[in-house]
Amino acid sequence: MNSQADVIIHIGPPKTATTTMQHFWFPELNSVVRFVGKPWFNPHVPYELCLRVHRAIDSISMTPSGEEFNDELVRQAVKDYAECLVRLEPRLADAPILISEERLVYEDIVDLSVLLDRLARCFPEATIFYVERNRIDVLASAYKWLFARDKTRLNFKQWVDAGLNNTKTASEDPGLWFKCCDYPRLSLTLKSRFSNIVKLEFDDVITCPHRQFSRVFGSRMDSVTCDASSIENSSEKPLSLMAHRWCKKSLKLANRIFFWEVAIKEEYISDNLFFKFLSLISPLFFNEEKIYSLSESMKSDIENYYRSVREPC
């Protein structure tokens, strides 16, 4: 890396078009930035470099507080990957490095303060950018993701109530998702560690990504385009969520009963014939508006939850 100022880091948070950026829009910037990932695996980069940078960035959020964190290992992994991109495309020698990872604000292992302390140790002069989205929309989207994958047995209202009361269940912690969209807390914690921070609005990003990314990448955006019609996770349409869940549960049951094992990894579910059949019949049983609606009092409770003063971490 020429200097730490050459690093631009996108930190999500989850459910703010992060996957769309990573899979569709950021690859469009490959002619003007050195996109390290996520996704971490580039067919033009040696597998060992891809794996090393993947593990290095993951170590920021997944190293427990009591264990040693190696910031030099992270910098070196990113440097080696970025240098490989320059060997593939020499004109990128002076291009900034772009890293995108939503786990950098996900507090399932360590607190946000620890995450951002580590990030600042690795890249103290990096430009950090993130996207804010209506909190209720984030929570609904998070719940749909969990529900479709059979990761929660609560209904949406119960799940929101558990998050408001910081109640953990056997299989999940709804409070983690509430923390992800505590934007004032995120902003204060970032400002105490980084001087270059850009906040984007979700609705603006999905309708005009090119204009919004110009705020981050400047005039480099003049020579590239971003297709606003490419929205990842759009395959999770409301009426297919229940089918996805039924399919997941049925395959789990089949794997307990029969002697063979059926792949139940999320990306394979939609190719399953059982899923295709359930997608056809699910509209008969599934009322999306009813399931994901919240009372006005609960919406007020959510706003009050975030209205409380939070000191920077």
Side-chain angles (χ1 to χ4, degrees), residues 38-106:
K38 179 179 178 185
W40 306 113
F41 298 98
N42 183 330
H44 305 294
V45 176
Y47 176 76
E48 61 179 28
L49 285 182
C50 297
L51 185 61
R52 190 148 62 90
V53 79
H54 183 187
R55 289 175 172 170
I57 298 299
D58 271 359
S59 72
I60 299 174
S61 62
M62 301 183 72
T63 303
S65 295
E67 298 182 12
E68 182 181 359
F69 169 70
N70 190 334
D71 52 291
E72 180 55 37
L73 181 149
V74 176
R75 282 193 297 273
Q76 189 63 48
V78 171
K79 177 182 178 182
D80 291 345
Y81 192 106
E83 288 178 347
C84 180
L85 294 178
V86 173
R87 289 194 293 272
L88 293 169
E89 186 56 75
R91 63 195 177 96
L92 291 177
D94 295 323
I97 294 169
L98 172 60
I99 301 169
S100 175
E101 176 53 84
E102 65 271 29
R103 277 200 60 85
L104 293 173
V105 294
Y106 197 68

Side-chain angles (χ1 to χ4, degrees), residues 2-32:
N2 295 333
S3 70
Q4 297 292 359
D6 291 329
V7 179
I8 299 172
I9 304 175
H10 168 240
I11 59 173
K15 299 302 174 186
T16 58
T18 302
T19 305
T20 296
M21 294 185 201
Q22 293 169 342
H23 287 268
F24 292 100
W25 295 337
F26 291 161
E28 292 290 328
L29 308 182
N30 277 336
S31 62
V32 295

Side-chain angles (χ1 to χ4, degrees), residues 105-108 139 142 146 154 158-169 172-182 185 305-306 310:
V105 294
Y106 197 68
E107 302 177 67
D108 57 335
L139 296 174
L146 294 165
L154 304 176
Q158 291 170 335
W159 186 82
V160 169
D161 189 60
L164 288 171
N165 292 288
N166 198 28
T167 303
K168 298 181 181 179
T169 69
E172 60 166 334
D173 180 6
L176 289 173
W177 292 96
F178 275 72
K179 288 181 179 179
C180 283
C181 47
D182 191 344
R185 176 171 173 261
Y305 174 89
Y306 288 109
R310 283 172 171 73

Side-chain angles (χ1 to χ4, degrees), residues 105-222:
V105 294
Y106 197 68
E107 302 177 67
D108 57 335
I109 296 177
V110 293
D111 291 338
L112 182 65
S113 58
V114 176
L115 288 172
L116 297 185
D117 276 343
R118 291 172 176 175
L119 191 61
R121 282 169 54 189
C122 295
F123 311 107
E125 297 183 34
T127 294
I128 308 293
F129 79 98
Y130 67 99
V131 179
E132 286 193 10
R133 183 182 181 185
N134 178 280
R135 294 184 182 107
I136 293 175
D137 291 341
V138 170
L139 296 174
S141 180
Y143 176 80
K144 289 176 183 180
W145 189 92
L146 294 165
F147 178 86
R149 287 155 182 79
D150 193 29
K151 294 180 181 290
T152 181
R153 296 184 178 181
L154 304 176
N155 64 40
F156 184 45
K157 294 181 178 64
Q158 291 170 335
W159 186 82
V160 169
D161 189 60
L164 288 171
N165 292 288
N166 198 28
T167 303
K168 298 181 181 179
T169 69
S171 60
E172 60 166 334
D173 180 6
L176 289 173
W177 292 96
F178 275 72
K179 288 181 179 179
C180 283
C181 47
D182 191 344
Y183 303 125
R185 176 171 173 261
L186 174 60
S187 176
L188 289 169
T189 310
L190 283 170
K191 287 177 180 178
S192 64
R193 290 160 176 82
F194 297 95
S195 57
N196 303 312
I197 304 167
V198 180
K199 181 190 76 172
L200 305 179
E201 295 293 339
F202 176 81
D203 290 340
D204 296 334
V205 169
I206 62 173
T207 55
C208 191
H210 190 278
R211 181 183 302 169
Q212 295 304 307
F213 290 158
S214 294
R215 296 178 52 200
V216 180
F217 303 103
S219 59
R220 294 179 184 274
M221 291 298 298
D222 294 346

